[in-house]
Amino acid sequence: MRLRALLETDALGLRLLGGEDELDRSVRGVMTTDLRDPSRYLSGGELVLTGLAWRRDATDSEPFVRILAGAGVAGLAAGEAELGEIPGDLIEACERHHLPLFAVHETVAFATITEYVVRQVSGERAGDLAAVVDRHRRLMTSGPAGGGPEVVLDLLGSDLDLHAWVLSPTGRQIAGAGDAPLAGPVGAALAGHHLAATRTGRRAPHRATVGGTTYSLFPIRNAGRGPAPASRDVRESVLSDWLLAVEADASDWPAARLDLLQGVTQLIAVERDRRDAARTVRRRLAQEVLELVQTGAPPAEIAARLRVAAPVLLPGLGSAPHWQVVVARVEWGVAEGSATTGAPAGSSGSAVAGGPVAQALLEEILVDPAVTGPDSADRIAVAHTGDEAVALVPLPAVTAPAPAHDSGPDLAPAEASTDEDSALHADVLLAAVREPLSAGLADDGRLTLGVSAAVHSPEGLRGALEEARHARRVAAARPGRVCAAGHHELASHVLLLPFVPDDVRRAFTARLLDPLRDYDRRHRAELIPTLEAFLDCDGSWTRCASRLHLHVNTLRYRVGRIEQLTGRDLSRLEDKLDFFLALRMS
């Protein structure tokens, strides 16, 4: 029960003297005392009743209140029968220690208050879990009309006073109770804690502290998979399972309450299975389009299939969209049976199939992280083939009025143009999810992503697919656990540099830059920074000198020294290009 409930019960005759902001504290028991130091009998959460017999003068209030506050009591109720009024020094001491203080009217016996508190607390302890479990069971048999995860979270809040959220593996909020959404950075941090703990094999619930608040994290495993075999590799599901984040420390919970929360996760898993059934339709559409594109089917056949997909992915749009293709690949090291890989001890050590993992992960990554709710992925169709996942993402088209006749196979009129604000960009796609995904990938996993340009005709889809695959290979050549590349990078030197062999790269950069680095170490001449600035300024002496805060003659001296040490001429385009590439590869 809450302290606030004591004031709402007229029969108790309590009057609040201080601590109005602390009335939401939980009361777990009651104790009557007139000892000057009752700490040995306190365990925390009690409502302490006192007749003030311990008080001899004003100096006694401060140590008494300090002892109560240190023991973590919920509040103090002082009787007016002994002194008539509650002393001001006691009120001031309670204010200093943020301890709620009540005055007990002389006509109210302490036994009345004690009986009320004991009855309420014991009744809650005996009945709260049973009542919630019963409601949960009714919800589990009520089908979709049960209200979804939000109803379960509302029950946790109203019956057990627990604030909880359902999060995706990237920390995006799937469901929450009330009007208090979890901040995006907090959700991402909690997801990262959960994924890291799962990969190390620690037993749930996992405890995490973010922003000074403690949370307990419970995995929500897909109920449709059935019981997981003991030898199953955790990497098969770690990047696709939801989690339940509860704002509480469950480390000291009794077994009954832990069992209840496990039942809650099972209920939410049932709801997720229902929603995943709708995703199967979108996956099948994507698989059919992918097979048509890869087998070189006629554009008219692909266009017909896309016309079927458009209303499923964008209901009520009114016109066919443009499309982007995103390719993802998840690669795992061979399981070694260690805590690092997350593989169970004694497992066979076979590699985990990356295709299904990449498919589930891509379906999550392509959802706007600012959008909450489990239905926000309805615009995404993802197929997988081998270790690769391919997403077909529709973009609403900005169209002029359609002509009276339209006999071509295009998916949108010639006047249509892509809404650039809605297009996917590789450089921002992973920004919100990189941290939690890196925790889930740990030391043996890697995610690479490639994004195509938007196309609006079936003829363009095959090129978009190859473009996305090529961009993914560019991303794969970069360091890091989570990397992405976009179509715009395929038209620059960025495309070529990752594929230069390491020994060639080292020899090329050493030949051009080592003489300058050696000279800088000996003379502190800053030739390398000067070279970078000179190239960035397109060889403009005045702009480069201004950027470096140098006189033009000083800049000319440095450039001359660079040319002397390397045998190159920075007035020649070929030599400028060589230096530019060497700096990019170094």
Side-chain angles (χ1 to χ4, degrees), residues 47 60 64 90 105-107 115 158 162 168 194 196 223 294 316 343 381 387 395 464 514 527 535 542:
L47 173 67
D60 291 334
F64 181 80
L90 180 60
H105 195 270
E106 62 182 3
T107 61
E115 181 182 358
S158 62
L162 293 175
S168 77
H194 173 73
Q294 292 189 132
D387 286 336
L395 302 175
D514 280 3
L527 297 185
L535 295 175
T542 54

Side-chain angles (χ1 to χ4, degrees), residues 50-101:
T50 181
L52 300 178
W54 50 265
R55 182 182 180 277
R56 297 170 186 157
D57 55 45
T59 61
D60 291 334
S61 294
E62 170 63 25
F64 181 80
V65 172
R66 185 172 62 249
I67 289 170
L68 297 187
V73 303
L76 173 64
E80 295 178 327
E82 182 74 19
L83 302 178
E85 288 185 352
I86 306 303
D89 49 88
L90 180 60
I91 297 175
E92 293 172 0
C94 288
E95 287 178 350
R96 282 194 296 273
H97 292 278
H98 304 285
L99 183 66
L101 176 63

Side-chain angles (χ1 to χ4, degrees), residues 29 32 38 149 217 227 253 265 300 326 365 367 433 444 463 498 505:
T32 301
L217 310 176
W253 281 6
T265 63
V326 183
I365 290 172
V367 179
V433 300
D444 62 335
R505 182 194 303 254

Side-chain angles (χ1 to χ4, degrees), residues 143-161:
E150 290 80 3
V151 172
V152 184
L153 301 183
D154 283 335
L155 284 175
L156 287 178
S158 62
D159 288 43
L160 298 182
D161 196 33

